[in-house]
């Protein structure tokens, strides 16, 4: 067959739930010359990447590195390694990603208790306490639910995990690099993330981190991990001092992550969290000034991702098409029961800027007026 | 912590078993602006990538796309989707990758019959026929064994699979794009590959292809696929016309694959196979002229990858260090029982050139002389 012409991807303003805007130096890093996965220079890059990842995760965990897949591969890594058939696992679900965790845990043959909470609200700790079985091995929750824009305070979950004698597993895909994440201070035993949210690196890697206690649980397994590709016993031997070949690491993606982590530390984590917070506060105020309603109550709201209710009479997909056509801007729609009900706007990583928030408000206003959105519903 | 300085990976001549030399336009493609995974422009890129992948695989299989992981994730995808607990699976092993297939199949709870053949030789079909159990669901083999440099003719295996009533699964990680691969003509039911060998794209994706018969087997499953991340029922819904969100695809890696496939088709597949063959023939002759012995008999030898026996008295790791230091050239060592026994030289993809083969012969000669290799052992 005749080959297609070379790609000309257009430049977008990426304000959906991820991938987020990628900094130019990260794109350049992807294009650096490929090295062998056992090249001494690349081994140094791996060590630097791990060290920076630990800083961003707020941990000293030895077992901290990126898995060779996207965020969902990170999720699966945590479950298939920590769970053995028949183990009791409690999954708190208040959105797509909690629901996905429960599904992944079931496929790892866990006995899953799913504590279901209304989508768009933080967890009800009393409910979790009531529904969780004794002797659960694992309590899993989502720190920043990408499908709804809800933030979950990890503190009370650590207490609950202690009561249950369970390991605590946290999804921090949408928080890492954009909100405080402090694995050691919070007592998180296992965490996974993605690169394409607040780290502003293209999708393709899943940073994970396991506490000493979680590593002990791996060592005590009586059955092999069902996934060879995600088996941390094997993957650790490559990322650790043995450098044993397991699979060929995605070299250029790791260059990109190295640069993304570098930028995060260069800015300073506190500074970066503040930037996300300030941009989100202005954006959320601007939305309310436009007369729009937010899905999540203010005290449970994420900074990096905001869910906006679609006003009645507005065609939500048409708004997204309008933004794409007129502003080359991407925002997200709702998932699952929230499909057609909300928009999701991410102001994440290098995309969390005053310019982007103002442009997005302006573009949203124009898209709504295009559908005859009455300006008198706007405040002021 | 203070961030590390930006990366300066050195430029290497990559002549190991992969990653291979990456063409400049592929590196540039990686650095193109990231799009959303549901962006209409990106959906077009996906369709183009699939169409080109089908051409390179020699297939019209609808289920043909890259999985979001490296080659080993492609291997695991094939087994976890095709195997249900208790299914009989025959794996032909004559190297690391056959052995790995057997391990992956066991973790998918198959009842595995491993037909073991000497490493460095093609399979013995009579032995496979004798040892394979009746009513096997799957017969799996490696087309181009990266650990030894052995080529396996698929024809007799198709016949045998027909006798057994089994699906035929082929690893073509090291052959795709460098040797004839004709899934439809050969009657292959499931195949997986990697990007970092003869396609000359950095590691990170695993192209797979399933025949209509293999898709039927997926549809007839009685149990869920144990991996959510690699579940082809779900992944197909994203790559197919539904465009249902499953996981966030590794956008920039797919740009790279798109460009790598473009280059392969621009050159022409026949032309490309010939180039690999000619370069390998000259290289293998040059090695014998140097007085070196090859692991694999001539008629079972791969073109893209050559295994060379380490002469007695030569420190094999010192040779590799010498090449790295003096030529910035990477070649591979042996794996498993062949560790310390062989070198593996890949002349793959854009690295399969006359210049590289001559440079490698020259460099190997120098590295051997550095250890007092007697020139009188060389021919001529």
């Amino acid at each position: 067959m005749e080959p297609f012409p070379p790609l000309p991807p257009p430049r977008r303003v990426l304000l959906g739930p991820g991938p987020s805007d990628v900094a130019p130096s990260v794109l350049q890093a992807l294009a650096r010359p490929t090295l062998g996965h056992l090249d001494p220079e690349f081994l140094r890059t791996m060590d630097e990447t791990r060290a920076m990842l630990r800083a961003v995760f707020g941990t000293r965990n030895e077992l901290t590195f990126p898995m060779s897949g996207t965020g969902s591969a990170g999720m699966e890594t945590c479950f298939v390694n920590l769970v053995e058939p028949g183990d009791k696992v409690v999954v708190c679900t208040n959105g797509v990603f909690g629901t996905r965790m429960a599904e992944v845990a079931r496929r790892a043959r866990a006995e899953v208790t799913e504590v279901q909470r209304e989508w768009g609200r933080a967890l009800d700790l009393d409910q979790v306490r009531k529904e969780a079985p004794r002797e659960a091995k694992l309590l899993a929750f989502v720190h920043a639910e990408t499908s709804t824009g809800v933030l979950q305070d990890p503190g009370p979950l650590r207490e609950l995990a202690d009561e249950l004698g369970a390991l605590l597993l946290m999804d921090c895909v949408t928080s890492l690099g954009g909100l405080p994440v402090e694995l050691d201070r919070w007592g998180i035993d296992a965490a996974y993330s993605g690169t394409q949210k607040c780290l502003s690196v293209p999708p393709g890697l899943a940073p994970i981190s396991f506490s000493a206690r979680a590593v002990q649980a791996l060592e005590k397994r009586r059955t092999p991990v069902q996934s060879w590709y995600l088996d941390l016993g094997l993957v650790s031997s490559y990322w650790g001092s043995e450098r044993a070949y397991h699979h060929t690491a995605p070299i250029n993606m790791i260059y990109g992550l190295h640069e993304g982590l570098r930028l995060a530390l260069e800015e300073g984590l506190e500074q970066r969290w503040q930037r996300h917070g300030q941009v989100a506060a202005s954006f959320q105020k601007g939305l309310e000034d436009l007369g729009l309603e937010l899905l999540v109550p203010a005290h449970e709201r994420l900074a990096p991702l905001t869910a906006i209710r679609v006003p009645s009479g507005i065609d939500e997909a048409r708004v997204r098409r309008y933004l794409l056509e007129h502003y080359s801007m991407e925002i997200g729609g709702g998932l699952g029961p929230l499909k057609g009900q909300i928009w999701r706007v991410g102001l994440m990583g290098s995309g969390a800027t005053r310019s982007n928030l103002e442009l997005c408000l302006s573009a949203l206003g124009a898209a709504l007026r295009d559908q005859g959105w009455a300006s008198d519903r706007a405040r002021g």
Side-chain angles (χ1 to χ4, degrees), chain A:
Chain A
M1 72 176 282
E2 286 297 303
F4 292 94
L7 286 181
R11 190 163 272 292
R12 298 280 194 228
V13 184
L14 292 176
L15 302 183
S20 63
D21 183 59
V22 176
S25 71
V26 172
L27 290 176
Q28 285 153 23
L30 292 177
R32 295 216 173 96
T34 305
L35 288 177
H37 51 287
L38 295 171
D39 193 295
E41 285 294 322
F42 183 66
L43 301 181
R44 193 155 59 88
T45 298
M46 290 167 65
D47 287 341
E48 291 181 4
T49 303
R50 295 182 74 181
M52 292 193 286
L53 209 43
R54 284 193 193 99
V56 171
F57 264 131
T59 187
R60 302 178 67 173
N61 287 341
E62 175 59 24
L63 198 165
T64 303
F65 46 72
M67 296 297 288
S68 303
T70 67
S72 298
M75 179 191 290
E76 191 154 316
T77 298
C78 291
F79 284 99
V80 298
N81 281 278
L82 290 173
V83 168
E84 294 193 80
D87 280 349
K88 289 182 187 172
V89 169
V90 183
V91 181
C92 305
T93 65
N94 55 349
V96 166
F97 295 93
T99 307
R100 181 174 298 180
M101 288 204 289
E103 175 64 21
V104 169
R106 276 189 290 265
R107 292 186 187 214
R109 297 195 276 156
E111 206 178 281
V112 177
T113 303
E114 211 176 323
V115 182
Q116 296 183 328
R117 169 70 157 143
E118 181 189 343
W119 289 30
R121 293 303 309 273
L123 303 174
D124 173 344
L125 270 293
D126 289 336
Q127 182 201 2
V128 182
R129 182 170 280 109
K130 217 171 80 188
E131 298 182 15
R134 299 302 96 180
E135 292 173 16
K137 182 171 186 186
L138 196 60
L139 172 62
F141 75 103
V142 179
H143 184 219
E145 189 34 271
T146 322
S147 63
T148 60
V150 165
L151 176 67
Q152 180 60 48
D153 176 11
L157 285 155
R158 178 67 264 172
E159 284 172 33
L160 185 52
D162 285 339
E163 291 169 30
L164 298 170
L167 295 167
L168 186 60
L169 166 57
M170 179 171 85
D171 171 322
C172 52
V173 170
T174 292
S175 49
L176 192 70
L179 287 172
V181 169
E182 310 256 23
L183 299 190
D184 288 358
R185 203 158 64 79
W186 297 348
I188 305 293
D189 292 304
Y192 63 89
S193 189
T195 47
Q196 76 277 14
K197 312 280 187 184
C198 298
L199 295 176
S200 278
V201 173
L205 296 174
I208 58 157
S209 186
F210 274 50
S211 73
R213 188 153 55 163
V215 171
Q216 270 175 11
L218 303 186
E219 288 164 353
K220 278 196 210 136
R221 287 187 66 101
R222 302 169 309 276
T223 57
V225 172
Q226 67 183 28
S227 171
W228 183 91
Y229 187 61
L230 304 177
D231 184 338
L232 287 176
L234 303 173
V235 182
S236 297
S237 299
Y238 172 58
W239 282 89
S241 51
E242 304 104 284
R243 306 299 189 183
Y245 163 62
H246 175 251
H247 67 276
T248 304
I251 310 294
N252 293 60
M253 279 303 305
I254 292 168
Y255 294 163
L257 177 58
H258 184 280
E259 179 62 18
L261 294 168
R262 249 183 45 68
L263 294 180
L265 295 175
E266 209 163 65
E267 177 175 7
L269 291 173
E270 303 262 349
Q271 183 74 24
R272 194 174 173 95
W273 301 334
Q274 270 176 29
R275 173 166 61 81
H276 280 81
Q278 283 160 1
V279 165
S282 301
F283 180 61
Q284 291 168 0
K285 179 175 180 310
L287 291 170
E288 289 171 340
D289 288 348
L290 270 175
L292 290 165
E293 204 185 320
L294 303 188
L295 177 71
V296 179
H299 64 287
E300 296 178 351
R301 223 176 263 165
L302 286 181
L305 188 92
T306 301
I308 307 160
R309 285 190 194 277
V310 176
S312 64
I314 295 290
D315 176 343
E316 80 83 15
R318 190 172 137 195
V319 166
R320 288 189 286 128
R321 274 198 307 277
Y322 187 95
L323 298 182
L324 202 65
E325 279 166 26
H326 295 268
Y327 294 85
S328 199
M329 176 186 290
E330 176 178 274
I331 69 168
L335 295 174
L338 293 171
K339 194 174 157 75
Q341 309 295 308
I342 58 169
W343 294 294
R344 291 179 298 151
V345 176
L347 289 156
M348 301 192 286
S350 65
T353 64
R354 180 162 168 183
S355 304
N356 275 345
L357 88 87
E358 292 183 5
L359 180 61
C360 186
L361 290 172
S362 168
L364 263 178
L368 290 168
R369 282 193 300 278
D370 178 60
Q371 290 191 41
W373 170 256
S375 57
D376 63 334
R377 292 172 69 174
R379 289 185 198 166

